[in-house]
């Protein structure tokens, strides 16, 4: 545990609540964050997120990043795979999967891929570096659909100064 913070949430609250976190030194930049929402008289709610911290110098060129991920088919039948990507606040960059995702996954099959950001257009060498991030959010959202239905997904959040730990409620 790195901190305990008490917040009073009004009914139907949609506010963001943050705590400061400085990761402890370790051999890996991969961390698992767990948030527990405790409310008297109710069962605790937990939200877990895996994060990989990236040195700030690499964020000037998001194309240097290769984010590995795995998609599996939990069903006992072949499933159609569809990956949808939304890029937010990253000027001039678009997603690319390596290798290309297969159109279908066999029962119980796993596919391992990487998400890479590539220049959306040919830019002058310093044009992308001038303003790689626009606005206060820089993120790539990937949704995984199996058989035309939402199944899973992940987000890659780029932060230039702070990491905001989301409090997710079900």
């Amino acid at each position: 545990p790195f901190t305990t913070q008490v917040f009073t949430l009004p009914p139907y609250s949609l506010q963001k609540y943050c705590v400061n976190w400085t990761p402890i030194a370790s051999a890996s930049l991969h961390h698992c964050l767990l948030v527990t929402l405790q409310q008297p008289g109710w069962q605790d709610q937990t939200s877990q997120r895996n994060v990989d911290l990236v040195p700030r110098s690499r964020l000037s060129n998001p194309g240097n990043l290769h984010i590995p991920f795995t998609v599996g088919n939990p069903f006992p039948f072949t499933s159609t795979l569809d990956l949808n990507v939304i890029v937010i606040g990253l000027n001039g960059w678009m997603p690319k999967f390596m290798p290309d995702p297969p159109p279908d996954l066999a029962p119980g099959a796993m596919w391992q891929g990487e998400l890479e950001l590539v220049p959306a257009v040919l830019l002058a060498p310093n044009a992308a570096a001038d303003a790689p991030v626009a606005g206060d959010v820089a993120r790539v959202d990937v949704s995984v659909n199996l058989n035309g239905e939402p199944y899973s997904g992940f987000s890659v959040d780029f932060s230039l100064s702070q990491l905001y730990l989301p409090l997710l409620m079900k």
Side-chain angles (χ1 to χ4, degrees):
F2 60 87
T3 187
T4 297
Q5 182 71 41
V6 176
F7 298 105
T8 301
L9 305 176
Y12 309 106
S13 174
L14 297 175
Q15 299 296 319
K16 292 183 180 181
Y17 300 92
C18 302
V19 295
N20 291 325
W21 172 54
T22 303
I24 58 172
S26 68
S28 171
L29 292 177
H30 180 82
H31 295 276
C32 178
L33 305 174
L34 177 69
V35 172
T36 303
L37 176 63
Q38 297 175 327
Q39 184 176 355
W42 297 90
Q43 185 176 5
D44 289 355
Q45 296 181 40
T46 60
S47 176
Q48 184 172 340
R49 177 160 295 182
N50 291 316
V51 297
D52 290 296
L53 305 177
V54 177
R56 187 179 304 182
S57 61
R58 290 180 59 191
L59 293 180
S60 63
N61 181 358
N64 290 339
L65 298 176
H66 295 262
I67 298 102
F69 66 97
T70 302
V71 176
N73 179 7
F75 302 115
F77 49 85
T78 298
S79 295
T80 302
L81 173 64
D82 186 29
L83 300 175
N84 298 305
V85 182
I86 299 173
V87 178
I88 302 166
L90 293 168
N91 288 340
W93 297 95
M94 59 183 273
K96 178 181 177 183
F97 294 111
M98 295 180 46
D100 288 334
D104 300 307
L105 288 176
M110 304 286 278
W111 176 72
Q112 294 184 343
E114 283 190 358
L115 171 65
E116 179 184 6
L117 294 176
V118 297
V121 294
L122 294 176
L123 300 172
N126 61 356
D130 287 343
V133 177
D136 59 354
V137 174
R139 182 175 73 232
V140 177
D141 291 329
V142 178
S143 63
V144 177
N145 292 337
L146 293 177
N147 303 313
E149 296 291 325
Y151 177 71
S152 184
F154 63 94
S155 295
V156 179
D157 293 303
F158 297 89
S159 176
L160 299 178
S161 60
Q162 295 178 336
L163 175 69
Y164 295 100
L165 177 63
L167 176 65
L168 302 174
M169 294 179 54
K170 294 182 180 180

